[in-house]
Amino acid sequence: MKQPSLSAPSLVTWTRYTFYGWFLGVILILLFSSVFDGVGVEGMQFYLGLAMGAGIGVMQWWLLKKHGGISLKWVWFLILGLTIPFIAFDLLFQAMLPYKLAVCLTLGAILSGGLQTFVLLDYSPKAKWWVIYACSGWMLALGSILALDYTKLLSPYANNLLIAFLNLLLILAGGFILGVVTGTGLRKILHV
């Protein structure tokens, strides 16, 4: 049986689509947050994984579909992998964990990267490396988000508009970082 073919998009294109997915994920986080708060579901963060997994997963899948096609499992594995740790921590450790975002995203990166590896195995024997690239991308993107905690230290020296702009840049930088790291990995895995 012939192995299916999947070509790697250019690094620029992959980064752009991942960034669009990140941006869509941020919008979905705001939407889900409003909806869940409106119905009285407060203090939970499961929708962070759900929103980012859906936004990024759909955009990456859409791009990969144009390059030879890929299963929708790509999207579902990203959603599941990122959401399950948040659900577990929401239910088990609701207020006890100060670094909940970092822990859940780290576990989610490992789980989703591992699950997506199974999708890539249909296209390359190098797919096992995907979990390393996916985790590295998510951890570096997390660093960009965690840097938000330090922009408040600038308040004596900068006005609120400048700090808000810096915060927005840090949030959006996560999508760019994730795209560059995972795009580099995907190109190596697919022999480009």
Side-chain angles (χ1 to χ4, degrees), residues 175-189:
F176 175 78
I177 293 166
L178 180 65
V180 169
V181 175
T182 58
T184 300
L186 186 65
R187 292 181 61 75
K188 288 182 179 183
I189 289 167

Side-chain angles (χ1 to χ4, degrees), residues 37-103:
D37 283 352
V39 296
V41 178
E42 296 176 359
M44 306 281 266
Q45 293 184 342
F46 69 91
Y47 59 84
L48 297 177
L50 177 65
M52 293 309 282
I56 293 167
V58 166
M59 292 306 295
Q60 288 177 344
W61 171 79
W62 192 10
L63 176 62
L64 290 172
K65 195 171 88 162
K66 298 175 185 180
H67 285 265
I70 195 164
S71 166
L72 267 172
K73 288 179 186 177
W74 184 265
V75 178
W76 293 116
F77 285 167
L78 188 56
I79 291 171
L80 285 172
L82 292 178
T83 306
I84 288 171
F86 281 101
I87 289 173
F89 277 75
D90 281 345
L91 296 175
L92 300 174
F93 307 107
Q94 193 149 13
M96 295 173 15
L97 192 63
Y99 300 106
K100 184 176 180 178
L101 176 65
V103 171

Side-chain angles (χ1 to χ4, degrees), residues 3 38 137 142 187:
Q3 186 170 354
L142 175 63
R187 292 181 61 75

Side-chain angles (χ1 to χ4, degrees), residues 141-153 166-167 170-171:
L142 175 63
S144 174
I145 300 303
L146 293 179
L148 293 169
D149 288 342
Y150 298 99
T151 60
K152 62 184 167 218
L153 300 174
L166 181 59
N167 286 343
L170 287 169
I171 291 168

